[in-house]
Amino acid sequence: MKPEIRKDYIQEKYVIIAPKRGKRPHDTIKPKEHHKRLVSSCIFCPHNLMKIHSLYLKGAKKDWQINVIANKYPAVSLDNPKAYGQQEVVIETPDHTEELENLSTDHIADLLQAYSERTKAISKNQKIEYILIFKNDGGIAGASLQHAHSQIFATKFLPPHLLDKSQRQQAYKVKTGNCVYCEVVAKEAKGPRLVYKDEYVIAFTPYASMFNYEVWIMPLRHLDNITELNNNERKSWAKILKHILQKISQLDLPYNFYFHQVINDNDQHLYMKIVPRGSVWAGVEIGSGLIINPIPPEDAAEFYRQELK
Ligand SMILES: [Zn+2]
Ligand SMILES: [Zn+2]
């Protein structure tokens, strides 16, 4: 394929899909090296959490499966009016050596429920406008600790580009009567970027993928935030998320994933973006803000469809 400039579904964001000749990362798949070593000082291991207050527990205090605690070094906090907010750490498993993608589907569904329970609790605070749930996995994606964990970041500050996106969505709805993302779901379900679809969720690689192998998971129902997912949706979500993370692990790339939830706007369409960090942004990207992605999303979708049960 020839290079092609593509625009995001709704935002003023552009990417140049410019396939490189020669080998793509997934042509040379190597098994991910597992070199997690047990560290007795790990602050997320059960023996070091006995005395730490839990904000949420799956399982008993002595025998938990998922444990949510306050972030010890937060950038935003409830006692700082200049940077007001709340930060939490979701410890995904008691096992220091385990990776998220190797946990059972049920366990991953429980993790989605933990995110949901914390979102409910945090959004009771009227000052909070925005809750971001995210994970950084692997070196350059920003993880400083090896023990599998994700994070919750809640603030009263809604980043301007999200406000802009939310306004564009509203304007689109006023103009057409439709949710732009419901239309995206319907379109991608029939196209070459579809990875997976069942009666509850869909996974696809977005038309203007900013990152190589970027992939989104969305509910088929128009749901505003993670607290509205039901059991069946969480199960399906967990199943495809596990598969996608296992495929990313074959690429041996670090990744980020995130849900973002705007509390003051209750008509968003929930999505999860999973972005492997294989691209190194250089002069063009930093200077112009234009992103070059060498992996066409159609190729990435084909890669994710492999080994899918
Ligand atoms: Zn640990
Ligand atoms: Zn929708």
Side-chain angles (χ1 to χ4, degrees):
M1 124 185 209
K2 272 192 180 165
E4 180 176 310
I5 295 183
R6 294 186 182 181
K7 181 181 175 292
D8 178 76
Y9 298 119
I10 181 102
Q11 289 182 287
E12 286 294 321
K13 280 188 182 167
Y14 296 85
V15 59
I16 307 174
I17 306 290
K20 275 208 187 90
R21 268 172 302 188
K23 278 191 171 165
R24 298 165 297 183
H26 67 252
D27 293 335
T28 51
I29 283 171
K30 47 187 174 182
K32 192 171 180 180
E33 283 174 50
H34 287 277
H35 32 57
K36 274 192 179 180
R37 279 185 303 123
L38 276 172
V39 198
S40 61
S41 63
C42 170
I43 57 166
F44 296 158
C45 271
H47 60 272
N48 288 325
L49 283 172
M50 298 301 276
K51 293 196 182 99
I52 307 288
H53 173 69
S54 295
L55 300 163
Y56 175 89
L57 279 174
K58 176 73 191 179
K61 181 79 188 168
K62 275 191 180 149
D63 182 28
W64 53 267
Q65 292 304 302
I66 296 167
N67 193 344
V68 183
I69 59 171
N71 189 320
K72 211 176 166 190
Y73 303 103
V76 294
S77 59
L78 297 176
D79 57 10
N80 181 2
K82 289 190 171 169
Y84 184 88
Q86 197 167 336
Q87 270 176 268
E88 302 179 355
V89 178
V90 182
I91 304 157
E92 295 158 3
T93 161
D95 185 344
H96 185 87
T97 59
E98 201 58 274
E99 304 276 2
L100 176 56
E101 65 266 26
N102 297 327
L103 299 173
S104 70
T105 305
D106 283 343
H107 193 131
I108 297 173
D110 287 342
L111 178 68
L112 298 173
Q113 181 151 28
Y115 294 157
S116 161
E117 293 302 324
R118 289 314 299 154
T119 298
K120 271 184 210 161
I122 294 168
S123 52
K124 283 192 181 128
N125 178 345
Q126 301 284 320
K127 290 188 191 158
I128 296 295
E129 295 273 337
Y130 171 58
I131 302 176
L132 176 71
I133 299 165
F134 68 99
K135 179 177 171 78
N136 301 325
D137 180 276
I140 61 166
S144 50
L145 276 157
Q146 288 192 329
H147 196 129
H149 70 285
S150 30
Q151 301 186 56
I152 301 176
F153 178 90
T155 64
K156 67 172 184 182
F157 178 75
L158 182 65
H161 72 280
L162 294 179
L163 181 63
D164 174 69
K165 192 175 97 161
S166 156
Q167 285 167 346
R168 281 170 192 274
Q169 268 174 268
Q170 285 164 11
Y172 188 86
K173 196 155 200 172
V174 169
K175 202 171 103 189
T176 65
N178 296 325
C179 160
V180 61
Y181 288 108
C182 283
E183 289 185 351
V184 166
V185 165
K187 184 162 178 280
E188 296 296 357
K190 288 179 280 190
R193 292 175 293 275
L194 179 68
V195 173
Y196 174 81
K197 181 173 173 283
D198 61 18
E199 38 178 333
Y200 305 109
V201 304
I202 183 172
F204 60 91
T205 54
Y207 171 72
S209 292
M210 300 279 154
F211 293 89
N212 41 199
Y213 300 97
E214 175 174 347
V215 53
W216 296 10
I217 303 175
M218 296 184 82
L220 296 187
R221 288 198 293 148
H222 178 84
L223 301 180
D224 175 65
N225 67 66
I226 198 167
T227 68
E228 294 171 0
L229 287 179
N230 64 31
N231 270 329
N232 289 331
E233 287 159 337
R234 276 195 294 268
K235 271 271 174 63
S236 281
W237 201 298
K239 179 190 160 190
I240 188 60
L241 176 60
K242 179 178 164 77
H243 171 78
I244 287 169
L245 297 183
Q246 281 177 332
K247 292 300 288 175
I248 293 174
S249 148
Q250 290 179 358
L251 294 171
D252 204 14
L253 292 177
Y255 67 87
N256 300 116
F257 71 55
Y258 62 94
F259 297 92
H260 88 91
Q261 309 177 87
V262 180
I263 300 304
N264 67 2
D265 173 350
N266 51 25
D267 194 22
Q268 304 254 319
H269 197 132
L270 176 68
Y271 60 76
M272 176 188 226
K273 283 191 189 181
I274 305 153
V275 287
R277 306 303 300 271
S279 20
V280 176
W281 288 358
V284 176
E285 286 86 354
I286 292 166
S288 70
L290 253 171
I291 308 296
I292 298 175
N293 179 357
I295 311 286
E298 294 74 16
D299 283 9
E302 193 188 318
F303 169 72
Y304 284 122
R305 286 194 300 264
Q306 293 167 5
E307 298 144 51
L308 187 56
K309 286 182 277 289

